[in-house]
Amino acid sequence: MTEQKVWFITGASSGFGLALTEAAIAAGDTVVAAVRRPEALAELVAAHPDRVDPVRLDVTDAARIPEVVADVLARHGRIDVLVNNAGRTLVGAVEETTDAELRDLFELHFFGPATLIRTVLPAMRERRTGAIVNLSSMGGQLSFAGFSAYSATKFALEGLSEALLDEVSDFGIKVLVVEPGSFRTNLFGKGAAHFSTPNPVYAEKVGSTRDFVQGGDGTQAGDPAKAAAAILTALNAPTTPLRLPLGSDAVDAITGHLESVRTELTQWEKLARDTNFDA
């Protein structure tokens, strides 16, 4: 019989976090649901009182993370799967994005997850098993006008994840980076996305991105429940991939981007190689 897992999922009250919580419960596992407002999970807790353990946590509150993790380990004995899911959208050209907006997004998408990873790793290493799931985006491999800040945080998270896998795989720990395209979550929901103050000179370039985010809620092709099932399949596979794109749009966009990178590299390869010292 497979041992039941203990999951620690941030942003578990909606979107991918909620879908993963429901999938883990269906698999017979226990979920520590880390959210800013535990009351938002009241219905789910009532339906599964022995499987859902809500804890209050804002992942940008780095000082509180060790306390929360220590409490979870004391009560549950272990954390088998950490899912860094909490996040939000920020749309703005580079010139439009303020330093405060950029730093706040990095706190949420990068520094908070990094702190959680460092905090759960010692116990995972000691048990020589575990999995760390970092929710990125197809925007973690490519970017476009208006998504500079969002993609910058996801690029950083993916770089950290790639090095992390190299560091911890010998301890039996898996690292999975999830790269969704457009899914029907609350990421584009009313009041969920943040928009930098627009500069008219970028109206044409960034305007279409703003319109897409403002008008895209409820029309996304991706199904969060299917995404959650795919993530569980990847984690349970004998060889878990480092990166898992989700959605046809993500697969197509990332494939096109990688082909573009290869084409450019080939075009400039001779110049690049000629920068070595002469023999």
Side-chain angles (χ1 to χ4, degrees):
M1 183 177 178
T2 303
E3 183 182 32
Q4 294 178 347
K5 295 183 177 68
V6 177
W7 296 62
F8 188 106
I9 302 176
T10 67
S13 59
S14 65
F16 290 119
L18 179 58
L20 276 169
T21 297
E22 293 172 337
I25 292 169
D29 297 338
T30 297
V31 176
V32 177
V35 292
R36 288 181 298 170
R37 297 185 306 105
E39 55 271 19
L41 291 165
E43 187 175 331
L44 194 62
V45 172
H48 307 279
D50 298 327
R51 294 287 175 80
V52 183
D53 177 14
V55 297
R56 190 181 301 276
L57 177 66
D58 181 337
V59 299
T60 65
D61 186 357
R64 190 165 138 65
I65 287 175
E67 173 191 339
V68 170
V69 170
D71 177 64
V72 170
L73 291 174
R75 291 187 293 108
H76 293 279
R78 66 190 191 279
I79 294 173
D80 296 296
V81 186
L82 167 66
V83 180
N84 285 307
N85 166 73
R88 62 178 173 83
T89 303
L90 171 62
V91 177
V94 172
E95 190 177 347
E96 295 169 342
T97 305
T98 68
D99 189 62
E101 289 171 334
L102 190 58
R103 288 180 183 276
D104 286 349
L105 201 65
F106 264 95
E107 289 290 346
L108 178 59
H109 286 177
F110 182 76
F111 289 107
T115 301
L116 275 163
I117 290 167
R118 288 195 303 269
T119 308
V120 304
L121 269 180
M124 285 186 176
R125 279 193 293 100
E126 184 177 347
R127 295 181 64 240
R128 301 192 73 83
T129 185
I132 294 168
V133 181
N134 290 328
L135 264 292
S136 180
S137 162
M138 70 179 195
Q141 290 228 34
L142 57 100
S143 196
F144 49 89
F147 259 61
S148 58
Y150 184 87
S151 287
T153 64
K154 297 303 187 181
F155 270 56
L157 185 64
E158 294 210 11
L160 180 144
S161 301
E162 190 166 330
L164 177 66
L165 177 62
D166 196 28
E167 295 162 358
V168 303
S169 58
D170 288 346
F171 298 107
I173 299 170
K174 298 182 175 186
V175 179
L176 174 64
V177 177
V178 183
E179 300 172 328
S182 293
F183 276 74
R184 214 163 292 183
T185 68
N186 192 47
L187 201 65
F188 294 172
K190 186 176 181 180
H194 181 83
F195 299 89
S196 299
T197 302
N199 183 327
V201 303
Y202 296 108
E204 184 177 347
K205 270 289 184 180
V206 180
S208 59
T209 303
R210 291 178 187 272
D211 293 342
F212 170 69
V213 172
Q214 289 174 325
D217 188 41
T219 65
Q220 303 97 320
D223 181 344
K226 289 184 177 180
I231 291 168
L232 263 65
T233 297
L235 286 175
N236 292 329
T239 303
T240 296
L242 170 60
R243 289 179 171 88
L244 179 67
L246 293 176
S248 295
D249 56 342
V251 173
D252 291 344
I254 292 171
T255 300
H257 176 68
L258 293 175
E259 289 174 353
S260 174
V261 170
R262 178 174 289 278
T263 298
E264 188 173 70
L265 180 62
T266 300
Q267 180 182 355
W268 292 93
E269 180 179 4
K270 185 180 184 305
L271 181 67
R273 291 186 184 279
D274 284 348
T275 57
N276 292 342
F277 279 106
D278 293 330

